[in-house]
Each structure stands twice: as structure tokens, then as C-alpha cells.
Amino acid sequence: MSDIIEKLSNSLIQHGTYNNRIYLMKLDTGDLPDIIPEMDQLAEKHGYSKIFAKVPADSRAAFDAKGYVKEAGVPGYYSGKKEALFMCKYFSEHRQEDTQAEDDRIISTARGKAGDIRKAELPEGFLIRICTEADVPAMAEIYARVFPTYPFPIQDPAYLKKTMEDNVVYFAVENEGDIVALSSCEIDFENRNAEMTDFATLPQFRGMGLSTYLLSKMENEMNKQGILTLYTIARAASYGMNTVFARLGYEFTGKLVQNTNISGNLENMNVWYKRL
């Protein structure tokens, strides 16, 4: 079962045992400073081992004072002007151990591919398009095949339909009438940013660069919608996805340690961003 999303005071959080954490997704600065001890109490009540907070840079001092550390950031997150910081607090020594030794090598290798963009045209027989509600059953099936576990319930058709109606645009690569790869843009219209996320390619179609084609298409669509800043929280252990973002000019800003439950394990996640 996925973690729940709910309000804490006027702010939005996700929490639960699935990721064993609290994620402060959207801070109402009017909740400061009281929301910080409230999250501590919630973490202690449920035994969560991490709090992961996305906050405006000018709120950093309040979190620093309560034992939080900055792990990454997104410059220009707020309407292209103000940075968002990912501030984290740990409640166990084990949770804050960075056990993935290959992460630095992957980042270095990915950065070496910066600007190495593949040809603009998809292979013959493939096309990219924006998903519609009619695609939801197939989308859920693909996400369930690719991700045994995931931080949000993208394997649930009802969840996909709801997010599609709200602020998420899903993209598909299609081959001979069947969807073979997916991704999404989670748009924050108020702050004119978008998270580039939910990339999934069926195993038999990997190695073709489909994620690069998807990301390029996504960028074009976000530019049309007036979005200023793009970012992603990518699996640190994925050479392929980190390389995709480096190739298209995204900048690495930091690593979130043991942050997200994907495919049954807590994984480190890398933050990349780009200004349009």
C-alpha cells in the first residue's frame, strides 16, 4: 500500500511505512515554525526514520535550527526566481548511511555525456504522444510491470486518472499501436515548474534511447505552457536515467540518501534541474 497524502495544518505532506518517511511536499510558510515539531512528533509516533522537506530557500534557517541538513536544491523553482531546498532529518543512523558506492562514478560518467544528444527522430515505427484517459488501463499495467514498488501508486488506474485530470501530463511512446514507454510532467502552474518523472520502458524496448526522446518532447510541451524550471528526482543507481538528463543539459544539485522505495528497496535519489 502506498503512503497517504494529506494536509498538516495548511501544508501538504505524504507519509507512511511504504517509504518509512514524511515528505513535506508543499510548505505553507504560515505554518512555520510550528510545523517542524509537528512533523517530528508524527515521525516519532509512527517510527519513521526520515523527514524529507521541500522548502523555499529563505525558510532554511528554521529547518537548520531543528537538525535538518540540505541534501539538494532546485534553483528557480519558484517562478524562476527563488530556489527550493530539499532539507532532510534522520531518526536512525542506519537510514542516513550512504551505502551505494557507485553513485559518484555514475554522476561523473553521466556528466561526461553532457550535450551528447541523439538524433532528433524516433526509430521508424515509433511515435510519441500525450496520453488520454483511454490509455489509463495500459499505463497502469506497464507501470506495474516495470516497478514492483513505487513511491506513488502509479500502478493504480484510479490514481492515474485523477492526476491526469489535475496537474500531470503523461507521455507515451507507441509502437505498432501499443504503448512501450511512459513518462510524466507533474506541473506546478502557480510556481511555473514541472517535475519530469515516472519514466518506464518495457524491457524489450530498452537501449533504444526512448527516454531521451520522451524528455525532449516533454520539454517542448512544457515550454509551450510557459513553464520556467524543470527538475527531476532520479534513481542514483540508474546510469541510463542520469545520463538522459545530463545529455539534455540538466545540472546535478545533490543526492537524497535512502530516500525512496522503488522496486522493493530504499534507494538514493539524484536531483537535476534545468531552466527553459
Side-chain angles (χ1 to χ4, degrees), residues 13-240:
I13 65 168
Q14 180 204 40
H15 71 100
T17 56
Y18 197 70
N19 292 287
N20 192 18
R21 71 175 191 200
I22 298 169
Y23 175 19
L24 177 56
M25 302 171 67
K26 189 170 185 178
L27 171 69
D28 184 320
T29 54
D31 290 340
L32 287 173
D34 294 342
I35 192 172
I36 300 177
E38 287 175 2
M39 289 193 297
D40 284 356
Q41 291 167 13
L42 184 64
E44 290 167 0
K45 176 182 176 181
H46 293 285
Y48 301 146
S49 54
K50 182 173 184 175
I51 301 177
F52 162 49
K54 181 171 60 185
V55 302
D58 53 14
S59 299
R60 177 174 182 171
F63 288 85
D64 281 339
K66 297 298 183 180
Y68 284 71
V69 295
K70 175 193 171 186
E71 288 193 332
V74 181
Y77 180 93
Y78 298 98
S79 302
K81 298 175 182 178
K82 188 191 303 184
E83 184 176 13
L85 303 180
F86 291 108
M87 305 291 294
C88 299
K89 184 174 182 176
Y90 294 90
F91 294 81
S92 80
E93 291 184 6
H94 174 72
R95 183 70 182 256
Q96 60 187 323
E97 291 176 0
D98 184 356
T99 58
Q100 296 180 21
E102 292 295 305
D103 291 355
D104 291 344
R105 183 187 63 80
I106 290 171
I107 285 294
S108 178
T109 304
R111 282 172 158 169
K113 300 287 187 179
D116 180 16
I117 302 174
R118 297 170 182 262
K119 61 182 181 179
E121 296 298 322
L122 275 166
E124 185 176 351
F126 291 78
L127 63 87
I128 295 180
R129 61 177 177 80
I130 292 175
C131 297
T132 68
E133 186 176 330
D135 296 313
V136 164
M139 293 165 61
E141 182 178 341
I142 289 170
Y143 279 130
R145 289 177 62 185
V146 174
F147 300 115
T149 63
Y150 201 73
F152 294 89
I154 56 174
Q155 307 94 333
D156 180 358
Y159 174 83
L160 293 174
K161 182 176 182 294
K162 182 180 183 303
T163 55
M164 193 179 285
E165 291 168 351
D166 292 341
N167 65 327
V168 181
V169 180
Y170 291 91
F171 295 78
V173 177
E174 194 174 276
N175 175 244
E176 297 181 353
D178 294 324
I179 295 174
V180 300
L182 292 163
S183 62
S184 78
C185 296
E186 184 174 338
I187 306 171
D188 180 342
F189 289 102
E190 178 184 358
N191 293 302
R192 300 179 70 184
N193 68 65
E195 181 178 0
M196 317 299 264
T197 186
D198 300 335
F199 288 83
T201 301
L202 291 176
Q204 61 269 38
F205 293 93
R206 292 172 189 166
M208 302 177 65
L210 298 184
S211 293
T212 301
Y213 295 116
L214 276 167
L215 184 57
S216 181
K217 177 72 171 179
M218 294 158 71
E219 288 184 356
N220 290 337
E221 184 63 27
M222 292 304 97
N223 191 46
K224 291 177 186 177
Q225 298 203 30
I227 299 302
L228 300 176
T229 303
L230 309 175
Y231 72 100
T232 192
I233 303 175
R235 301 170 78 178
S238 173
Y239 167 77

